Amino acid sequence: MGKFLLKTLLNGVIVVPLLLWFGTISFWEAVAAAVVLTVIAYFLGDRIILPATNNLTATIADFGLTYVYVWMVGSFLNWNVSLGETFWIALGVAAVELLFHAMLPQGDDRRRTAA
């Protein structure tokens, strides 16, 4: 659970300020978006993709997930975040995820201790 909270904090430090900077979005919308993104990325990227592949593949998947998620939610909620700004948010999350994945145990113990 500690690693999930760390992931939430790290992603929030990137996503929330950048959404506030780039878009017409409230603070609580940005926080909610960051938390939902983290939950999806944790289960998809850290629990499924990372154990089956490697750090780089999981980081690329996190970049793509973040890009699509921010674009879709931003379009739906009319945040006025451009595709270029979405790219920078996704790149920031990918950089944090690259470091986060490197902190996780490698090899056979990865599945048991990634939570």
Side-chain angles (χ1 to χ4, degrees):
M1 188 63 163
K3 296 216 188 257
F4 176 76
L5 292 176
L6 177 61
K7 180 182 182 82
T8 304
L9 177 68
L10 293 173
N11 282 344
V13 166
I14 298 298
V15 174
V16 172
L18 289 178
L19 281 175
L20 292 172
W21 179 277
F22 292 139
T24 53
I25 178 173
S26 74
F27 174 77
W28 293 112
E29 283 179 322
V31 169
V35 169
V36 171
L37 173 64
T38 300
V39 169
I40 295 168
Y42 175 75
F43 285 108
L44 185 64
D46 297 345
R47 303 293 282 176
I48 296 172
I49 297 172
L50 184 60
T53 61
N54 59 29
N55 188 0
L56 183 61
T57 303
T59 300
I60 292 168
D62 284 326
F63 173 86
L65 171 69
T66 302
Y67 189 87
V68 169
Y69 175 80
V70 171
W71 171 72
M72 286 178 57
V73 173
S75 295
F76 181 73
L77 296 177
N78 201 22
W79 286 347
N80 298 325
V81 177
S82 73
L83 293 178
E85 293 163 342
T86 302
F87 171 83
W88 290 110
I89 294 169
L91 189 64
V93 168
V96 166
E97 289 291 336
L98 185 66
L99 298 173
F100 178 75
H101 294 159
M103 290 176 25
L104 297 177
Q106 302 297 313
D108 294 337
D109 294 335
R110 179 183 285 162
R111 271 208 177 130
R112 281 181 272 156
T113 58

